Amino acid sequence: MNSRKRVAILISGRGSNMEALIAAAAGDDYPAEIVGVIANTPKARGLESARMRGIPTRMVPQRDYPDRAAHDEAIGAVLEELGAEMVCLAGYMRLLTPAFVERWAGRMINIHPSLLPAFPGLDTHSRALAAGVRVHGATVHFVTEAMDDGPIVAQAAVPVLAGDTADALAARVLKAEHRLYAQALAMVARGEARVEGGRTVFSATSDWGAEDALYSPAPDAPVSLETLDLERLARFTP
Ligand code: GAR
């Protein structure tokens, strides 16, 4: 397919969501191709796995730049060089400047491990347990200036089970994240989900349904997306 959207992924860490997007994009009929992965810190070990999969990688360490604006400009230059048409934040743990967000408005999405607007920020799983919620999950949203905020593209819900630890819950959510992000990127890349007036508008052709939002009903329930190599992803699960 030659109309595939050119997507760059920004990471700061493990990169398992990045892996999920790379795996999904390996499918012939997936509407996006991954043209590069950029990391802001040498701690981002996902960069090596992207390199191993033949994806162009770039390290743009934030400590090499005097301020956030200069760092974002450097990232912007790499995105241009890669010919990126869309950006996916996948565990990119740094706030972006308003100028950068504005430049990529409607073309940049993020995944967050909670059912937003609940639990923005860090430690979402232990906070969900402390709050006593019975359902938790993940959200993919268009990026705005506020942290973990912006028009929602898709969400996945998983149950909170008796005796859950934050790690057990995180693993359940992460599994859902991998499938969710691949589906959400496909929707945005196909133009089935787009921002209008600060909200996400979905086209009639979007095949997103309620059954897509509720999965992993049991911890080991199979998650199936034809193009996703779950066995390969499993080793990233904590
Ligand atoms: C994921 O759980 C992602 O949702 C989260 O960081 C993790 C990165 O894991 N992102 C945020 O918390 C953004 N606020 P990964 O590097 O294995 O994809």
Side-chain angles (χ1 to χ4, degrees), residues 46-66:
L47 209 58
E48 179 56 26
S49 66
R51 192 177 299 128
M52 277 161 39
R53 318 232 172 288
I55 306 288
T57 59
R58 293 292 288 273
M59 169 67 68
V60 186
Q62 61 200 50
R63 59 166 186 228
D64 288 0
Y65 297 86

Side-chain angles (χ1 to χ4, degrees), residues 11-19 45-46 89-94 110-114 116 119-125 138-139 141 147-148 170 173-174 177-178 181 236 238:
I11 63 168
S12 300
R14 175 179 54 186
S16 73
N17 278 289
M18 170 208 81
E19 279 277 340
R45 56 189 204 275
L89 306 182
Y92 187 69
M93 306 308 266
R94 182 164 162 88
N110 177 48
I111 187 155
H112 180 74
S114 77
L116 291 172
F119 313 122
L122 298 173
D123 301 323
T124 57
H125 310 299
T139 302
H141 63 93
M147 184 186 62
D148 300 327
V173 171
L174 190 67
E177 286 186 46
H178 295 156
Y181 212 177
F236 290 100

Side-chain angles (χ1 to χ4, degrees), residues 53-139:
R53 318 232 172 288
I55 306 288
T57 59
R58 293 292 288 273
M59 169 67 68
V60 186
Q62 61 200 50
R63 59 166 186 228
D64 288 0
Y65 297 86
D67 54 30
R68 203 179 289 276
H71 183 240
D72 279 3
E73 261 179 43
I75 300 236
V78 174
L79 290 172
E80 201 148 304
E81 190 188 303
L82 294 169
E85 299 170 293
M86 266 189 73
V87 174
C88 286
L89 306 182
Y92 187 69
M93 306 308 266
R94 182 164 162 88
L95 275 182
L96 296 160
T97 52
F100 188 93
V101 171
E102 174 60 31
R103 181 168 162 201
W104 289 94
R107 299 183 296 147
M108 178 160 59
I109 56 178
N110 177 48
I111 187 155
H112 180 74
S114 77
L115 290 171
L116 291 172
F119 313 122
L122 298 173
D123 301 323
T124 57
H125 310 299
S126 48
R127 285 158 62 209
L129 287 178
V133 298
R134 304 303 312 276
V135 175
H136 185 41
T139 302

Side-chain angles (χ1 to χ4, degrees), residues 219-235:
D220 297 320
V223 180
S224 63
L225 179 68
E226 274 169 28
T227 50
L228 208 56
D229 182 346
L230 289 167
E231 271 180 27
R232 187 147 59 83
L233 290 173
R235 65 194 160 84

Side-chain angles (χ1 to χ4, degrees), residues 1 3-5 7 20-21 24-25 27 29-34 86 88 109 140 142 153-154 178-194 202-203 205-208 225 227:
M1 197 196 292
S3 60
R4 282 150 60 102
K5 273 269 178 318
V7 174
L21 296 183
D29 56 353
Y30 197 74
E33 63 176 309
I34 309 304
M86 266 189 73
C88 286
I109 56 178
V140 174
F142 286 102
V153 178
H178 295 156
R179 175 175 146 168
L180 178 74
Y181 212 177
Q183 283 185 307
L185 171 59
M187 288 167 70
V188 177
R190 284 195 195 102
E192 293 172 358
R194 60 184 199 284
F202 299 93
S203 74
T205 54
S206 163
D207 59 3
W208 178 260
L225 179 68
T227 50

